[in-house]
Amino acid sequence: MTENISKTIKDIDKERLPVHIGIIMDGNGRWAKKQGLPRHLGHQEGMRKVVQIVEACNELGIKNLTLYAFSTENWKRPSVEVEALMNLLVVFVRKELRRLNENNVKIMILGDISKLPDLPMREVERAVGITSSNTGMTLNIALNYGGRQEVTMAIKDILRDVNKGNINIDEIDEKLISDYLYTKGQPDPDLIIRPSGELRLSNFLIYQAAYSEFWFSDVLWPDFKADHLYNAIVEYQKRNRRFGGV
Ligand code: IPE
Ligand code: IPE
Ligand code: MG
């Protein structure tokens, strides 16, 4: 699976870009271990890649980018690591918000941030608030996000609306369910990228990924470069998406 990243931005057909790209940013810990560094430095390096890849997507004209930053299962990690990740979130907002805003990026959160410690929660809410009327790329940060949690939340909210008489059971269809997810109003991911050699979704966008194309690579997230992104998009453009048809 170690591909040579021979593709460049010139190989991409700008007329057939994936509208929505999802990235499972994985491999920070293994990257740090390989360098003999503590895990939090892997996360720090991973954050630098976030900045580069967001810019690359924005320049390319990607409309929706979803980055998996922290899963509902990641709370199982040692508390020092969770704290380091939460702290990096604060650093990220403080360092990058101004530039993201200047680039017309609209930041949205997928996940239940009410469970985050106070400071990261407030900083993230600030980023969402400041960029809320931007009209460029939508950057979804999946934070305390789990696909099963999201579907559970949607079911509860739908039932509440049924009980209130706001919707009728017969009105429940796939479109209505989509409207109760964090990604309401956004297209499903066309392309999901997962570095680090793991071949699984790890609870990422499980409802929305029904017809996504996948691109896996052994590269660890802190080593991920714009060329990997371009490679993934070129590969995506060669696929024949049938959606069950012929
Ligand atoms: C991804 O890197 C970052 C988060 C899950 C927050 P990991 O920390 O999972 O790195 P590995 O998988 O241990 O290498
Ligand atoms: C998925 O990575 C979550 C994020 C990248 C935020 P994990 O490292 O948590 O996934 P598993 O545990 O290998 O499935
Ligand atoms: Mg991992």
Side-chain angles (χ1 to χ4, degrees):
M1 247 195 336
T2 326
E3 68 296 321
N4 58 4
I5 46 165
S6 52
K7 300 294 182 263
T8 69
I9 197 161
K10 292 194 215 75
D11 298 302
I12 293 173
D13 177 354
K14 292 284 180 53
E15 304 301 315
R16 293 169 51 245
L17 288 173
V19 177
H20 185 173
I21 297 179
I23 307 183
I24 301 171
M25 307 186 291
D26 197 16
N28 295 350
R30 278 163 282 171
W31 181 89
K33 191 171 181 194
K34 253 175 58 185
Q35 324 278 320
L37 298 169
R39 289 180 62 89
H40 75 268
L41 291 182
H43 295 312
Q44 188 176 301
E45 193 57 30
M47 191 185 75
R48 295 207 180 97
K49 290 299 136 76
V50 171
V51 178
Q52 290 173 22
I53 297 307
V54 167
E55 293 208 341
C57 284
N58 200 21
E59 278 165 23
L60 212 52
I62 300 301
K63 296 264 184 302
N64 302 67
L65 173 65
T66 300
L67 299 178
Y68 203 4
F70 193 88
S71 76
T72 46
E73 287 72 36
N74 288 147
W75 296 107
K76 292 179 197 160
R77 296 187 178 203
S79 60
V80 278
E81 180 166 348
V82 172
E83 272 165 37
L85 284 163
M86 294 297 152
N87 186 44
L88 272 174
L89 210 57
V90 175
V91 172
F92 176 77
V93 173
R94 291 186 176 170
K95 259 180 82 179
E96 306 301 335
L97 179 57
R98 179 201 289 247
R99 201 175 153 87
L100 288 167
N101 194 32
E102 280 168 4
N103 288 335
N104 202 18
V105 172
K106 181 185 172 95
I107 297 175
M108 296 188 73
I109 300 298
L110 315 183
D112 178 10
I113 57 165
S114 73
K115 303 289 184 307
L116 259 53
D118 208 41
L119 184 61
M121 184 179 72
R122 277 191 283 119
E123 285 298 273
V124 163
E125 281 177 340
R126 189 167 70 86
V128 171
I130 286 177
T131 62
S132 64
S133 53
N134 286 352
T135 54
M137 184 174 81
T138 295
L139 170 62
N140 297 311
I141 304 177
L143 202 52
N144 190 23
Y145 173 86
R148 288 183 171 180
Q149 183 276 329
E150 179 181 42
V151 170
T152 306
M153 169 194 75
I155 291 172
K156 286 182 173 169
D157 288 346
I158 290 169
L159 288 178
R160 276 189 202 104
D161 276 340
V162 169
N163 283 343
K164 283 191 215 151
N166 293 340
I167 51 171
N168 188 297
I169 287 189
D170 295 324
E171 287 176 279
I172 301 174
D173 58 9
E174 294 177 9
K175 165 74 173 67
L176 182 133
I177 293 172
S178 294
D179 286 345
Y180 280 78
L181 302 177
Y182 294 118
T183 45
K184 177 184 169 148
Q186 300 192 46
D188 287 337
D190 299 295
L191 171 63
I192 293 181
I193 294 173
R194 181 165 195 162
S196 93
E198 307 298 355
L199 306 176
R200 55 178 170 260
L201 269 178
S202 300
N203 210 6
F204 184 56
L205 300 179
I206 55 169
Y207 188 86
Q208 299 89 333
Y211 269 102
S212 301
E213 297 294 331
F214 291 89
W215 189 83
F216 294 107
S217 163
D218 284 334
V219 66
L220 302 172
W221 175 251
D223 290 327
F224 198 91
K225 293 181 182 61
D227 283 352
H228 291 101
L229 172 78
Y230 304 149
N231 252 50
I233 295 174
V234 170
E235 181 64 36
Y236 162 86
Q237 292 183 330
K238 288 186 202 151
R239 307 253 181 105
N240 181 3
R241 301 184 77 191
R242 286 185 291 279
F243 299 99
V246 285

